[in-house]
Amino acid sequence: MANISAQMVKELRESTGAGMMDCKSALTETKGDMQSAVDWLRKKGLSKAAKKAGRVAAEGLIGVQVAGTKGVLVEVNSETDFVARNDLFQGLVKMIADVVLSAGTDVETIKAAKVGSITVAEAIADTIAKIGENMTLRRAASLSVKQGAIGAYVHNSIIDGLGKIGVIVALESAGKADALSAIGRQLAMHVASANPQAIDPAGLAPEVVEREKNVLADKFKQQGKPANVIEKIVESGLKTFYKEACLLEQPFIFDDKKSVAQALKEAEGGAGGAIKVTGFVRYALGEGIEKQESDFAAEVAAAAGQS
């Protein structure tokens, strides 16, 4: 039987973040072979990760990364907000965002991508084992332009590029890079605040516009308005809706006397060229995830019954 020293256990613990007894077991099982012990712990970590997979992970971080004329967003979820302040977790999210720049936005492709000698999926599982919470790579998005800039903004940022809301905006333009970056950041901040549904009315889903028309029409039918009057009211109501839902028609948050389109037109002078918004993506942490409500009293009662 191999002699497992305290120093060996300490080294394995420092390199893997696993518990002391787990490290001792790993070294015992692998007869003191350090690399095999790391692999043994990784397999055990994967097992731990599987046990935690049923827990709802609705906290975490949005990661934003811009490289040249390409920008990406990722959402990596954890169970508690506390984990978002963990250096290991923050490093994981930044690493995944870096991978997305080259691997694309398909989640399974990202997970299969290699980072050093392991895959992203293995890196996630290792972090789960070390931190002790379920984590999931939920989604990723990217935007790029042939010529121009990608504006980016992170709201409630914990460190640079990581926070609770992330936005990227694509600006197609032959204008000056620094001016485009400045207006791009302002537009990204606007999107974070105003949460538009589309760039302009043409970008809205037809069913969304139809539903809005029907709501407006039904409202005034019930008031007994004649059909020709209703038609004009609906037309006017849609214009108001477009100002609420479409980026270019929204009042600009930095000067609400102007629309975003007007602010962009003015910015063209400083940039030295026409500016066209070709896309935007806004991720808010945990949106659409049904969070489990914890009944603390029931949990305590259940624990008491098991003791």
Side-chain angles (χ1 to χ4, degrees), residues 120-304:
V120 169
E122 287 169 334
I124 293 171
D126 283 353
T127 311
I128 291 171
K130 290 172 184 174
I131 294 178
E133 279 197 14
N134 186 30
M135 297 168 197
T136 56
L137 168 57
R138 185 185 181 199
R139 54 182 174 164
S142 72
L143 290 174
S144 61
V145 290
K146 289 180 180 177
Q147 188 178 30
I150 301 293
Y153 173 67
V154 177
H155 188 64
N156 284 342
S157 63
I158 288 177
I159 61 171
D160 186 42
L162 300 177
K164 301 294 185 182
I165 296 176
V167 178
I168 49 176
V169 180
L171 301 180
E172 195 80 59
S173 177
K176 292 179 285 188
D178 56 346
L180 292 174
S181 293
I183 187 66
R185 178 171 168 77
Q186 285 192 337
L187 283 177
M189 292 172 79
H190 175 97
V191 171
S193 172
N195 195 14
Q197 296 181 42
I199 295 172
D200 54 29
L204 288 168
E207 58 270 22
V208 170
V209 178
E210 194 59 33
R211 184 170 67 244
E212 192 65 23
K213 280 183 179 178
N214 290 337
V215 167
L216 288 166
D218 287 348
K219 178 181 175 182
F220 292 103
K221 275 179 190 173
Q222 290 172 19
Q223 294 178 11
K225 303 281 186 187
N228 63 322
V229 172
I230 289 173
E231 189 177 336
K232 289 179 181 176
I233 292 172
V234 168
E235 190 177 318
S236 175
L238 279 178
K239 287 179 182 176
T240 302
F241 172 65
Y242 293 151
K243 286 179 182 177
E244 294 170 356
C246 300
L247 172 62
L248 295 179
E249 303 205 12
Q250 288 177 330
F252 192 37
I253 62 164
F254 292 95
D255 184 354
D256 60 11
K257 294 182 177 63
K258 303 171 188 170
S259 68
V260 170
Q262 288 169 330
L264 266 178
K265 197 70 183 168
E266 288 183 11
E268 289 178 351
I275 304 171
K276 182 182 180 183
V277 179
T278 58
F280 69 85
V281 184
R282 178 187 188 273
Y283 276 2
L285 183 67
E287 59 190 350
I289 298 176
E290 189 173 335
K291 299 184 184 181
Q292 291 176 336
E293 296 299 325
S294 174
D295 186 339
F296 184 67
E299 286 177 15
V300 172

